[in-house]
Amino acid sequence: MSKKSILLPPFLMSSVPKSGTFFLHQILTGIPGLSSDHVAQKRFFSELYPFEYYRDDHMKRLKLLKENEFGVGHVNYSKEYSALLADLGFKHIFIYRDPRDVLVSLAYFIRDKWIEHPLHEDFNHLYLTSRDRILALLTPIEGKWLGFYKFFQPYYDWLGDKSTFHISYESLTGSEEEKRRVLGSLAEYLFHPQELPIPKEELVNRMLQNIRPTEARTFRKGTQGEWRNEFDEEIKAKFKSHAGHMLINLGYEKDDNW
């Protein structure tokens, strides 16, 4: 078989919401022949429903993916979902981001674009500043929002899954050297045990050349460390109280002295 005819088995790409989902989607579709159409059939969302609620639907649609296709979504970690992917022979790529930047991005996204969200109207008429919206998202709002930690932690739990390839958003927006190293490792993970279809440097170049962030509906800034421009001392204190341990567990901070 020639390198040009190599086919990739289907796989799943999932993310923490607001962590560069379509950014990584563009990178992956820069791989020659690889695709994931923007159709509902290839989108996988679990929200906070029990695994049994969506197991059959996800299994059926994952099985429909063909060679050189991948599914995209936000899926809560569970041992059962990890086992499902293993049973199907699916590889899994997972992208995550500093929770503080996730919080800031979500606050703007709900106000500006997520019109179906229960807080969309409130964020346009009740919580009138970005500070108010960020503070509101940190704690539960009855009937509308579970609170930041409870909603997001189940996604971050994929970081404990050894069969998943983990990518931080920061590694793809930092130095050119780090970006190329991560994408080279990603390509090797996807194609193993096959050879890469083209030299690794050329493949990484194609992945990077396919990035067009402003074409993503959910894109706002994509800036690393944007939270520093939004957090005041009250937001910092409230974040530390409700979700500070996430930063330590994820390696973004050593302690609460930030």
Side-chain angles (χ1 to χ4, degrees):
M1 179 182 290
S2 68
K3 289 187 177 181
K4 290 184 179 180
S5 64
I6 288 178
L7 296 175
L8 273 178
F11 63 91
L12 177 67
M13 187 212 97
S14 78
S15 66
V16 173
K18 309 311 302 168
S19 293
T21 310
F22 287 103
F23 182 60
L24 183 55
H25 178 275
Q26 290 177 341
I27 288 172
L28 289 171
T29 52
I31 296 174
L34 201 59
S35 70
S36 181
D37 301 332
H38 295 287
V39 294
Q41 178 180 314
K42 298 177 183 178
R43 295 294 176 263
F44 299 86
F45 303 98
S46 65
E47 298 180 356
L48 292 179
Y49 294 109
F51 174 69
E52 293 76 15
Y53 182 85
Y54 52 84
R55 174 187 56 203
D56 292 344
D57 171 62
H58 281 211
M59 181 186 299
K60 178 181 178 181
R61 291 190 293 113
L62 286 168
K63 287 181 176 180
L64 291 175
L65 292 173
K66 300 175 182 178
E67 290 178 316
N68 281 8
E69 292 184 343
F70 63 97
V72 177
H74 307 309
V75 180
N76 294 330
Y77 170 78
S78 69
K79 292 181 180 179
E80 293 82 3
Y81 207 104
S82 179
L84 169 63
L85 294 176
D87 290 344
L88 294 175
F90 270 49
K91 292 183 179 180
H92 179 214
I93 300 167
F94 173 73
I95 186 169
Y96 64 100
R97 187 182 188 184
D98 186 324
R100 293 165 293 194
D101 282 329
V102 169
L103 174 60
V104 170
S105 182
L106 181 65
Y108 282 98
F109 183 61
I110 291 175
R111 183 196 67 176
D112 297 337
K113 298 182 179 181
W114 196 353
I115 60 175
E116 305 88 357
H117 196 281
L119 288 174
H120 175 71
E121 289 299 320
D122 289 349
F123 275 20
N124 280 278
H125 300 103
L126 183 60
Y127 301 96
L128 298 181
T129 67
S130 61
R131 180 178 181 276
D132 290 342
R133 291 185 286 271
I134 290 169
L135 286 169
L137 286 172
L138 282 169
T139 53
I141 300 175
E142 187 174 357
K144 296 183 178 181
W145 177 243
L146 292 169
F148 185 82
Y149 174 77
K150 189 171 183 180
F151 181 83
F152 279 101
Q153 185 58 48
Y155 297 108
Y156 283 101
D157 284 341
W158 278 109
L159 291 171
D161 187 72
K162 295 181 179 180
S163 60
T164 292
F165 187 91
H166 311 116
I167 305 176
S168 72
Y169 180 81
E170 292 77 18
S171 70
L172 297 180
T173 55
S175 71
E176 188 70 12
E177 180 181 359
E178 174 69 0
K179 189 185 307 179
R180 288 184 168 276
R181 183 192 67 77
V182 171
L183 293 184
S185 297
L186 169 59
E188 291 172 340
Y189 167 80
L190 279 177
F191 280 94
H192 181 80
Q194 305 178 85
E195 294 182 6
L196 297 179
I198 55 178
K200 183 162 66 174
E201 281 301 306
E202 182 181 347
L203 185 56
V204 169
N205 285 339
R206 293 199 187 188
M207 295 163 82
L208 291 172
Q209 290 165 4
N210 204 49
I211 297 173
R212 300 177 300 279
T214 56
E215 292 185 12
R217 182 180 74 90
T218 58
F219 177 80
R220 187 178 68 91
K221 282 189 177 181
T223 305
Q224 184 181 148
E226 177 68 12
W227 67 269
R228 293 183 176 86
N229 298 322
E230 299 279 354
F231 279 34
D232 60 17
E233 291 306 313
E234 183 180 355
I235 295 175
K236 286 183 180 180
K238 193 169 184 179
F239 191 99
K240 291 175 184 179
S241 174
H242 292 275
H245 56 292
M246 294 177 72
L247 300 177
I248 298 171
N249 293 340
L250 294 169
Y252 284 102
E253 298 291 348
K254 295 181 179 179
D255 51 41
D256 276 341
N257 297 316
W258 50 271

